[in-house]
């Protein structure tokens, strides 16, 4: 072998082994391997270039080159193991969990007071035999008004200042939960006993007792022998369960096109004990909702025979009931999203 080739190989060997000793971590090791042993590495290129040597030099140069290749591969193999192990140790140390550190307490949320009230109402009504169902907040005027005996030209349609949705047909944000009366009856044979909690929307000015979005709980019972006494019994029991045995309830005549007779249902003010205060506007009473016996036209409209079946319905304001339970004196607080307000009611119901 010519001295220059021998010299080149010796120089390559010394440099490669020194560089390998200097490779202190796994990435540096990878670079070393690529530099010397990779497809374009120095030793690989040397071996490929053997063909250019004079024929008598090739065998010796080839043997020396291959011997160096084996030596460098063996050196890489053992160095690689050390670097990989060190790399793993480093990762394990970086990822280690210090089990002696104090834990981070999770921030626990709580159900919104209105949601808690809905759960409690559902439980009370379940005990009275009512099933809880839910309905769409975006409604057709057909269900929101027409099937409830409120035709297009009926003045009562003005009572529920309506938010209309810009879609073909007359689509509205439901102004009350009553459209679910018709939806449930259309899909069920009597007897029916359901309550329907949910959001309703009205285009109206806000004040301490009026929101433009609030919650109602609709109730509906239809059977062969239902009377006004059943309605009074159910709402009296509801008031007893919600507000305790000392609250008085009041029914006064009221008008809703989908009931006959209709009533408004009030409870004596829990804040002042019925004496008169700011919350009850000095009347001693707080209206919880409307109610009445389902109008025969509504029954007939969904295919029930009004000569056979009677029923009662009610629609209660859930925020109003929550105000009575908690002493909150402004309905706007519920959707105001002030955590200081909401935190006070975590787990009240
Ligand atoms: C109705 O919405 C009827 N659908 C109730 C009904 C159902 C009558 C079934 C007969 C049979 P009214 O508009 O009065 O009725 O609303 C019912 C209750 O919702 C009110 O008593 C009150 O508690 C609550 N409410 C009404 N408007 C608002 C408002 N803007 N903000 C907060 N609560 C309200």
């Amino acid at each position: 072998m010519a001295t220059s080739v021998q010299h080149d190989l010796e120089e390559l060997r010394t440099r490669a082994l020194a560089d390998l000793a200097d490779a202190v971590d796994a990435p540096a090791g990878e670079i070393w391997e690529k530099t010397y042993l990779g497809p374009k590495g120095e030793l690989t290129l040397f071996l490929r270039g053997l063909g250019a040597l004079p024929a008598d030099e090739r065998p010796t140069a080839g043997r020396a080159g291959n011997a160096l290749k084996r030596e460098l591969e063996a050196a890489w193999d053992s160095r690689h193991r050390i670097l990989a192990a060190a790399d793993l140790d480093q990762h394990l140390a970086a990822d280690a969990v210090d089990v002696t550190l104090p834990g981070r307490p999770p921030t626990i949320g709580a159900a919104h007071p209105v949601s808690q009230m809905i759960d409690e109402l559902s439980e009370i009504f379940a005990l009275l035999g009512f099933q809880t169902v839910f309905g769409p907040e975006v409604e057709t005027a057909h269900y929101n008004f027409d099937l409830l005996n409120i035709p297009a030209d009926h003045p009562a349609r003005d009572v529920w200042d309506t938010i209309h949705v810009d879609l073909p047909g007359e689509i509205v944000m439901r102004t009350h939960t009553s459209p679910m009366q018709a939806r449930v009856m259309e899909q069920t044979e009597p007897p029916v006993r359901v309550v329907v909690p949910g959001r309703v929307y009205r285009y109206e000015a806000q004040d301490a007792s009026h929101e433009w979005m609030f919650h109602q709980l609709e109730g509906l019972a239809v059977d062969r022998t239902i009377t006004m006494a059943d309605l009074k019994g159910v709402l009296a029991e509801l008031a007893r369960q919600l507000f305790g045995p000392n609250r008085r309830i009041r029914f006064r005549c009221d008008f809703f096109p989908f009931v006959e007779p209709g009533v408004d249902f009030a409870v004596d003010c829990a804040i002042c004990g019925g004496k008169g205060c700011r919350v009850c506007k000095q009347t001693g009473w707080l209206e919880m909702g409307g109610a009445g016996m389902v109008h025969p036209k509504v029954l007939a409209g969904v295919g029930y025979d009004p000569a056979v079946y009677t029923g009662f319905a009610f629609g209660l304001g859930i925020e109003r009931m929550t105000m009575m339970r908690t002493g909150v004196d402004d309905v706007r607080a519920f959707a105001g999203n002030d955590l200081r307000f909401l935190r006070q009611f975590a787990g009240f119901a």
Side-chain angles (χ1 to χ4, degrees):
M1 182 166 61
T3 341
S4 71
V5 174
Q6 199 173 8
H7 179 264
D8 286 353
L9 273 180
E10 194 48 43
E11 188 275 330
L12 179 58
R13 177 177 179 276
T14 314
R15 192 156 41 83
L17 291 175
D19 280 357
L20 187 57
D22 285 347
V24 287
D25 55 19
E30 302 299 332
I31 292 173
W32 180 91
E33 199 222 358
K34 210 171 151 198
T35 310
Y36 292 100
L37 298 175
K40 291 183 184 157
E42 279 191 48
L43 186 57
T44 317
L45 294 181
F46 167 81
L47 292 170
R48 273 203 215 126
L50 285 176
L53 292 176
D56 58 332
E57 286 185 20
R58 272 183 229 150
T60 334
R63 264 195 302 281
N66 280 323
L68 179 58
K69 189 175 182 214
R70 280 193 297 278
E71 184 185 352
L72 290 187
E73 278 174 350
W76 165 237
D77 195 45
S78 63
R79 184 81 182 138
H80 177 62
R81 274 176 222 269
I82 292 166
L83 293 179
D87 194 51
L88 180 64
D89 283 350
Q90 200 187 343
H91 273 97
L92 288 176
D95 289 349
V97 176
D98 182 351
V99 290
T100 63
L101 282 176
R104 279 182 222 140
T107 317
I108 298 174
H112 188 278
V114 167
S115 302
Q116 293 180 52
M117 196 61 167
I118 290 174
D119 289 348
E120 187 175 353
L121 289 165
S122 295
E123 274 175 37
I124 294 171
F125 279 104
L127 293 172
L128 293 169
F130 288 75
Q131 190 189 348
T132 298
V133 298
F134 298 90
E137 292 174 21
V138 180
E139 247 318 349
T140 60
H142 180 63
Y143 283 103
N144 199 79
F145 298 120
D146 300 337
L147 285 178
L148 292 168
N149 195 30
I150 316 175
D153 56 351
H154 199 292
R157 219 143 161 159
D158 298 339
V159 177
W160 292 282
D161 282 348
T162 309
I163 299 173
H164 288 262
V165 180
D166 195 6
L167 284 173
E170 203 182 345
I171 310 291
V172 301
M173 301 304 291
R174 66 177 174 189
T175 55
H176 50 173
T177 42
S178 300
M180 275 302 282
Q181 290 184 28
R183 284 187 179 274
V184 168
M185 286 191 282
E186 274 182 348
Q187 290 174 15
T188 327
E189 287 298 314
V192 172
R193 270 186 199 81
V194 291
V195 284
V196 190
R199 287 192 196 93
V200 303
Y201 303 82
R202 293 186 190 179
Y203 185 67
E204 63 183 344
Q206 291 171 281
D207 64 24
S209 54
H210 291 89
E211 260 287 9
W212 66 271
M213 183 282 291
F214 58 101
H215 296 72
Q216 287 189 339
L217 180 95
E218 194 77 8
L220 175 71
V222 182
D223 208 338
R224 285 172 186 269
T225 54
I226 294 214
T227 69
M228 192 88 180
D230 297 310
L231 169 64
K232 289 181 75 173
V234 164
L235 291 181
E237 179 59 15
L238 170 69
R240 200 180 68 83
Q241 297 262 353
L242 273 185
F243 308 124
N246 298 326
R247 298 267 65 79
R248 288 182 301 148
I249 56 171
R250 182 186 73 181
F251 293 92
R252 289 194 307 188
C253 288
D254 202 350
F255 172 72
F256 300 93
F258 36 95
V259 287
E260 180 57 37
V263 291
D264 92 44
F265 165 61
V267 178
D268 70 336
C269 178
I271 312 290
C272 61
K275 290 191 195 73
C277 68
R278 198 165 64 99
V279 175
C280 61
K281 300 203 168 70
Q282 310 305 330
T283 64
W285 296 93
L286 268 179
E287 189 195 304
M288 296 287 110
M293 299 304 290
V294 181
H295 198 289
K297 280 192 182 165
V298 174
L299 293 173
V302 295
Y304 285 10
D305 183 351
V308 178
Y309 295 108
T310 54
F312 66 74
F314 53 82
L316 309 173
I318 295 183
E319 278 83 355
R320 289 269 174 95
M321 288 190 279
T322 315
M323 287 164 81
M324 283 287 284
R325 266 297 289 276
T326 57
V328 171
D329 62 1
D330 194 322
V331 70
R332 291 167 293 193
F334 291 109
N337 205 22
D338 185 336
L339 281 180
R340 290 167 306 175
F341 167 77
L342 294 172
R343 281 203 180 103
Q344 299 172 73
F345 302 104
F348 85 88

